[in-house]
Amino acid sequence: MNTISCLNSRPSRSPLNWGMTLGVAAALAMLSAPIASAQEALSPDEMAALCHGGSSICVSATIPVARTTQAVQSWMSPDVGAAWATGYKGQGVTITMVDDFSSTSRFSGNFGIGVQTQRHGEWTREEASMIAPSATIRSKDFSTGSAVSLARGLNVLNLSYGMYTTAGYSVNQIWWAPEEASIINYATRGTAVVSKAAGNDAVAVGAAINGQQDYLDLALIGKSTAIFVGALSTNGTTANKAQLAWYSDYAGTNTQVQSHFLVVGVEGDKTGLYGTSFAAPIISGYAAIIGSKFTKATPVQITNDLLNTARTDTLANYDPSIYGKGEASLSRALAPVAIH
Amino acid sequence: MRERSNIGAGLCAAALLLCAPSFASTALAQEWTTSLVDIHQGSPLSDKARGLGNGGYELQSGSWVSFSRWYHASWVDMHVDFLTQITPDTGLLWGFGTGEQAEKYSIGPSLKLGFLTQIHPNPNSTLSLSVTSTIGGGLTEKPCEADYGDLGTYSVNCRLAAGMTAPEETLKYLVSAKPETMHLWLNYRLTF
């Protein structure tokens, strides 16, 4: 029996967590922009402090800076601005960011509100909150390994990480930590939308690379509310079609992956932030916005709405084995099929 | 009759209204005279309704829905106003509006009633007062039926169906407006 657990997991965990540590840390190091200039000093992050306090869930009532920033940024799809024209932006929906909120690893970027140096989870949280400013954002430090709890109402789980270990095991052989077991359970039962970063190894989702596999990807294949999110190098338009980012994992030949695979623009040239880690929060934000519009919709319905309204005409040489269902379109996901 | 005592002519001149040649009506023994004082098409509500037709959005399939087809009226609300002179210095103002209709709004027919009176503070001046009230003529926007596929079918504000607002919430933003229901008009005219 093998154990896979998160970075910085409790000492009782198996050393196999090193594989995951390497996978996540290496990807982040490789894909973070080399912004090495003088950085703006950050004030202490109250949210992180709360997370350290023993509770694995930190409600985002004190998230600084970004939650007050509701401007459409240049790195966002033009679609977002169009959809933001009226109404709610995620109200009544909870996005739980399962990520790193406690390590000492920080890197720099700029989501259009000034250069910041933050932990990985702080970045993904900020991004989701900028897409869906009215959503409640929870921060779940993945180092705790404890089960992810759901809030009242619609829940969206953002997974901008992978669970890597030696390739060749079946998913059934994995002894999941309560954290991932709960996530997989929610995706299986359709009780939360699960937005999973596809991976940054330029391979098909779930494929092995250098003898390692992302078993969280594998475990989520075929689950009703799991969405794998790949990265485009730009936001696509019909005039300027987008291509898959050079690092992004793609859908591959498995039709179960293709049917639950979306792509979004990750414009790292504008933010200094690259990687499918920054693709998943966009889908999480979109899901929250859709959930705030259709307040009675189930996670399955919202997942299918996002998947079924993805665009293929904004992508260069659309191929489902690369782009899956296509580029997510918030405005189309919010629009009617017909009106009279 | 003195020129200044002709209330119909006074009203027309002072209000710069379109005055068709008066047509005499001898309906009553007092020889009341009825004049057509104004006829026009359009109103602030017509303009408002027409403004609703600006814009559009894409459906899930990408096909464009323009609001203009929903908010285009083939007939524009026409208003006709008359003045029936009762005495040399008083008259009844009355008229009607035809209303207008498009696929997603309607302006109801309207009826205008009021009176006009004038006094002469001195031989060279006239002080006129009119009060009119309009009944009906309200602008009512109609909802659409929006089919969101698996997410259901809702009655919505046609213009907001593709936005972020919850379908049922969009109905709060349906336009419902009344025309100016009471109009008070005071005029002083000095001839020199």
Side-chain angles (χ1 to χ4, degrees):
Chain A
M1 188 74 73
N2 293 277
T3 302
I4 305 179
S5 60
C6 293
L7 174 66
N8 298 333
S9 60
R10 286 172 291 198
S12 59
R13 293 284 169 86
S14 158
L16 277 176
N17 70 351
W18 185 85
M20 189 269 167
T21 301
L22 179 64
V24 172
L28 295 178
M30 179 173 64
L31 298 170
S32 297
I35 296 177
S37 56
Q39 311 296 340
E40 293 179 1
L42 283 183
S43 58
D45 185 338
E46 296 174 66
M47 192 55 53
L50 282 175
C51 290
H52 286 310
S55 167
S56 61
I57 292 285
C58 312
V59 181
S60 64
T62 55
I63 284 185
V65 187
R67 286 187 62 77
T68 58
T69 306
Q70 298 195 6
V72 177
Q73 302 292 340
S74 64
W75 54 268
M76 295 178 182
S77 166
D79 210 36
V80 175
W84 268 17
T86 60
Y88 306 177
K89 302 179 182 71
Q91 186 175 311
V93 179
T94 301
I95 304 175
T96 300
M97 312 297 294
V98 184
D99 214 310
D100 166 29
F101 294 96
S102 62
S103 79
T104 56
S105 174
R106 291 179 169 87
F107 52 97
S108 300
N110 185 348
F111 273 135
I113 55 174
V115 174
Q116 295 171 283
T117 302
Q118 304 189 103
R119 296 181 183 93
H120 189 267
E122 292 159 354
W123 277 119
T124 55
R125 182 179 69 195
E126 183 167 276
E127 185 180 23
S129 71
M130 291 177 80
I131 296 288
S134 300
T136 298
I137 314 280
R138 285 177 157 188
S139 305
K140 169 72 168 71
D141 194 303
F142 62 23
S143 70
T144 65
S146 59
V148 177
S149 61
L150 298 184
R152 289 173 67 93
L154 180 74
N155 283 269
V156 180
L157 306 183
N158 187 87
L159 314 179
S160 289
Y161 70 102
M163 296 292 283
Y164 292 86
T165 193
T166 308
Y169 297 107
S170 106
V171 171
N172 295 333
Q173 290 179 284
I174 305 299
W175 178 41
W176 294 104
E179 186 167 64
E180 282 69 36
S182 64
I183 293 167
I184 295 164
N185 183 38
Y186 297 143
T188 304
R189 290 165 43 214
T191 50
V193 178
V194 177
S195 176
K196 168 73 173 72
N200 301 327
D201 298 311
V203 297
V205 167
I209 175 93
N210 299 327
Q212 298 276 311
Q213 268 181 300
D214 181 351
Y215 282 88
L216 190 51
D217 270 353
L218 289 173
L220 291 172
I221 292 173
K223 303 299 187 272
S224 62
T225 53
I227 302 174
F228 301 102
V229 192
L232 300 169
S233 50
T234 60
N235 290 298
T237 65
T238 52
N240 293 298
K241 295 178 190 293
Q243 292 187 315
L244 198 71
W246 61 273
Y247 53 79
S248 177
D249 283 7
Y250 46 87
T253 55
N254 184 336
T255 54
Q256 285 190 305
V257 175
Q258 289 179 8
S259 64
H260 282 248
F261 189 95
L262 292 173
V263 286
V264 294
V266 176
E267 301 199 340
D269 55 327
K270 294 175 180 167
T271 63
L273 301 165
Y274 295 86
T276 55
S277 283
F278 303 106
I282 294 174
I283 292 299
S284 294
Y286 286 4
I289 290 169
I290 297 166
S292 71
K293 171 167 181 168
F294 300 103
T295 53
K296 294 173 186 166
T298 65
V300 173
Q301 288 174 320
I302 288 169
T303 301
N304 290 338
D305 187 38
L306 274 165
L307 292 166
N308 293 336
T309 56
R311 298 183 68 159
T312 58
D313 59 346
T314 57
L315 301 170
N317 304 314
Y318 168 72
D319 180 341
S321 69
I322 297 174
Y323 301 111
K325 294 289 284 183
E327 183 175 10
S329 170
L330 178 58
S331 63
R332 290 196 178 178
L334 294 169
V337 175
I339 188 164
H340 57 269
Chain B
M1 188 180 291
R2 294 177 302 175
E3 182 275 336
R4 68 182 185 188
S5 68
N6 186 329
I7 197 168
L11 175 68
C12 294
L16 300 178
L17 296 174
L18 169 67
C19 276
S22 297
F23 56 93
S25 170
T26 54
L28 296 173
Q30 292 91 339
E31 293 188 0
W32 291 3
T33 302
T34 296
S35 304
L36 175 66
V37 294
D38 184 32
I39 180 168
H40 69 271
Q41 277 192 293
S43 67
L45 288 187
S46 284
D47 294 342
K48 188 182 182 84
R50 219 174 346 270
L52 301 178
N54 297 325
Y57 48 70
E58 285 185 345
L59 298 177
Q60 284 193 7
S61 63
S63 59
W64 181 256
V65 175
S66 172
F67 298 159
S68 60
R69 68 184 171 96
W70 289 329
Y71 298 94
H72 174 74
S74 54
W75 169 260
V76 178
D77 191 13
M78 175 179 274
H79 294 262
V80 183
D81 294 335
F82 298 97
L83 171 66
T84 298
Q85 188 170 349
I86 300 169
T87 71
D89 289 320
T90 58
L92 285 176
L93 285 165
W94 58 280
F96 62 88
T98 61
E100 67 180 62
Q101 199 145 15
E103 187 177 343
K104 292 301 175 187
Y105 78 87
S106 65
I107 295 176
S110 61
L111 184 65
K112 180 188 281 187
L113 286 172
F115 70 92
L116 174 66
T117 185
Q118 62 182 18
I119 58 171
H120 307 286
N122 60 58
N124 295 326
S125 63
T126 305
L127 181 64
S128 309
L129 169 72
S130 79
V131 178
T132 57
S133 177
T134 301
I135 302 165
L139 165 63
T140 306
E141 187 179 10
K142 301 172 187 172
C144 283
E145 282 291 308
D147 174 8
Y148 292 98
D150 289 346
L151 296 168
T153 299
Y154 296 85
S155 180
V156 296
N157 182 318
C158 309
R159 296 171 291 113
L160 302 178
M164 293 189 183
T165 310
E168 54 271 28
E169 293 288 316
T170 65
L171 297 175
K172 291 180 184 173
Y173 303 101
L174 287 171
V175 172
S176 175
K178 290 182 178 176
E180 186 182 61
T181 52
M182 187 70 78
H183 184 79
L184 180 67
W185 180 78
L186 188 62
N187 181 63
Y188 178 72
R189 187 158 64 100
L190 177 65
T191 305
F192 55 90

